[in-house]
């Protein structure tokens, strides 16, 4: 079976303000983090849209980490832009602006090669776009879905349709609560599973993540990072790592370890910078540490 992962998600220029500084027009978006995380392990094909203002530096990242960009559309207009300000502990943040730009009339159109990929990562993006990708797929691919509070609040019906067709849901603790109405993550996971996905992973930021699959409940701590610089994209990076481990034949535990190791690297720099800089040995060291905690 091919290891290729198809990723759909946002491709953005991010403005981030936090205790460590302010950065403008960082190359970001859920697809970018997901691709950079997954792209070292498996071939990644990208579905998305950029405007004609997308910088050369961003294109280089896409050319380096993607296996195929045939379904990456480049449109006249502005790339999606998102700005956020973080609170003191970086676990809370406020969205300052979301300018959809070329995303406002984006309609994903999959080429034949992408319709036949066996693993799909629907990174955070409007639920209708996620649904459109699922509906274009052939065969019976593994569907891994991420989302955010905005879509839970504004496109709930489409999101519920996506969940019906999802195998694995990756979701933040607060978003899980928003859908299920309960703070108790065990009850929340059962509720979410009843909506479609047989596997639910609840991401808990600096407190790690918990995976639920049938009777199986596996929790993983976050890797202890010395200094957190910027948490943007940590969830998408976790998702990219998680999916890439599964696509290359790994178990759920391998996937949790890969996702957590890469997310810990992501938060050590602004945007994707630390993910671009990290070497394979450092990723392996972190995975070994997390594995030793999971299998004492
Ligand atoms: P995370 O910190 O994992 O929630 O991901 C942050 C990334 O999500 C940033 O790079 C943003 O560009 C992207 N993002 C923020 N809001 C949206 C949105 N409404 N739709 C799609 N992507 C978004």
């Amino acid at each position: 079976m091919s290891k290729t992962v198809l990723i759909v998600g946002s491709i953005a220029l991010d403005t981030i303000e936090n205790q460590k500084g302010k950065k403008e027009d960082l190359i970001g978006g859920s697809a970018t983090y997901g691709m950079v995380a997954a792209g070292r392990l498996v071939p990644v094909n990208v579905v998305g849209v950029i405007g004609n203002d997308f910088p050369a530096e961003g294109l280089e990242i896409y050319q380096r980490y993607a296996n195929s960009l045939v379904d990456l559309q480049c449109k006249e207009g502005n790339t999606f832009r998102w700005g956020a300000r973080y609170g003191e502990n970086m676990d809370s943040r406020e969205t300052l602006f979301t300018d959809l730009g070329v995303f406002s009339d984006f309609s994903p159109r999959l080429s034949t090669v992408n319709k036949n990929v066996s693993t799909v990562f629907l990174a955070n993006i409007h639920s209708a776009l996620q649904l459109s990708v699922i509906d274009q797929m052939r065969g019976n691919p593994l569907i891994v879905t991420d989302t955010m509070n905005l879509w839970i609040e504004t496109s709930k019906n489409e999101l519920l349709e996506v969940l019906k067709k999802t195998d694995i849901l990756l979701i933040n603790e607060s978003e899980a609560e928003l859908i299920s109405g309960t703070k108790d993550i065990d009850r929340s996971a059962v509720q979410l599973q009843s909506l479609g996905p047989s596997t639910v992973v609840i991401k808990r930021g600096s407190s790690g993540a918990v995976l639920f699959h049938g009777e199986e409940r596996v929790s993983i701590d976050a890797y202890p990072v010395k200094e957190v610089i910027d948490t943007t994209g940590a969830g998408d990076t976790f998702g990219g790592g998680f999916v890439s481990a599964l696509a290359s034949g790994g178990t759920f535990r391998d996937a949790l370890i890969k996702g957590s190791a890469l997310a810990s690297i992501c938060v050590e720099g602004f945007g994707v910078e630390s993910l671009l800089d990290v070497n394979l040995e450092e990723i392996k060291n972190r995975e070994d540490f997390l594995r030793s905690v999971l299998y004492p």
Side-chain angles (χ1 to χ4, degrees):
M1 200 169 84
S2 157
K3 292 180 175 178
T4 304
V5 173
L6 183 68
I7 296 187
V8 62
S10 58
I11 302 169
L13 297 175
D14 290 340
T15 296
I16 312 286
E17 271 179 73
N18 67 23
Q19 299 292 97
K20 305 287 175 182
K22 177 173 177 180
K23 300 276 178 181
E24 287 181 15
D25 286 348
L26 292 170
I27 310 297
S30 57
T32 304
Y33 286 101
M35 171 191 70
V36 171
R40 284 178 191 244
L41 190 63
V42 293
V44 174
N45 295 0
V46 177
V47 181
V49 64
I50 52 174
N52 54 359
D53 60 348
F54 196 62
E57 172 207 352
L59 286 175
E60 275 164 31
I61 297 175
Y62 270 80
Q63 273 149 7
R64 181 140 47 104
Y65 284 87
N67 169 62
S68 165
L69 295 174
V70 283
D71 291 332
L72 175 67
Q73 301 176 24
C74 182
K75 287 273 162 77
E76 192 76 26
N78 290 333
T79 298
F80 175 79
R81 279 181 169 73
W82 176 76
R85 187 188 296 127
Y86 285 79
E88 254 172 60
N89 64 5
M90 295 224 207
D91 269 345
S92 67
R93 80 177 173 212
E94 175 196 1
T95 293
L96 299 178
F97 59 87
T98 302
D99 295 335
L100 290 180
V102 289
F103 252 107
S104 59
D105 55 3
F106 172 55
S107 159
R109 256 188 313 279
L110 268 54
S111 53
T112 308
V113 62
N114 282 336
K115 286 179 181 168
N116 289 296
V117 167
S118 50
T119 307
V120 183
F121 180 28
L122 304 171
N124 173 32
I125 199 174
H126 195 296
S127 319
L129 298 180
Q130 295 181 321
L131 201 53
S132 156
V133 170
I134 298 177
D135 289 343
Q136 291 178 62
M137 295 305 295
R138 297 194 183 134
N140 189 19
L142 179 79
I143 306 281
V144 184
T145 301
D146 197 345
T147 190
M148 74 183 292
N149 51 358
L150 179 64
W151 311 127
I152 299 169
E153 280 155 1
T154 62
S155 58
K156 183 85 180 272
N157 289 339
E158 285 119 320
L159 177 61
L160 291 174
E161 281 307 305
V162 171
L163 292 182
K164 277 187 201 159
K165 299 173 180 179
T166 291
D167 299 293
I168 305 178
L169 174 65
L170 310 176
I171 192 161
N172 285 345
E173 201 169 8
S174 60
E175 294 157 358
E177 183 189 341
L178 201 56
I179 299 183
S180 65
T182 170
K183 272 194 192 317
D184 178 313
I185 64 162
D186 291 73
R187 282 174 44 206
S188 191
V190 171
Q191 285 249 17
L192 293 168
Q193 283 169 319
S194 74
L195 299 175
S198 56
T199 306
V200 171
V201 179
I202 300 192
K203 298 176 283 178
R204 308 180 65 213
S206 54
S207 303
V210 188
L211 177 142
F212 299 86
H213 176 81
E215 296 296 296
E216 203 179 344
R217 183 191 197 279
V218 187
S219 44
I220 186 161
D221 288 337
Y223 180 88
V225 166
K226 282 196 198 86
E227 188 187 5
V228 175
I229 302 290
D230 169 26
T231 57
T232 306
D236 309 314
T237 302
F238 175 92
F242 185 94
V243 172
S244 69
L246 289 185
S248 59
T251 63
F252 283 141
R253 279 166 198 254
D254 296 330
L256 287 172
I257 289 167
K258 177 72 75 188
S260 301
L262 289 168
S264 75
I265 291 157
C266 172
V267 302
E268 290 182 328
F270 275 102
V272 286
E273 75 184 6
S274 52
L275 286 170
L276 299 182
D277 289 345
V278 72
N279 58 45
L280 288 175
E281 196 188 346
E282 181 60 23
I283 302 175
K284 184 173 179 308
N285 288 343
R286 293 188 187 204
E287 289 180 9
D288 288 347
F289 173 85
L290 290 164
R291 199 174 296 279
S292 71
V293 177
L294 259 190
Y295 299 99

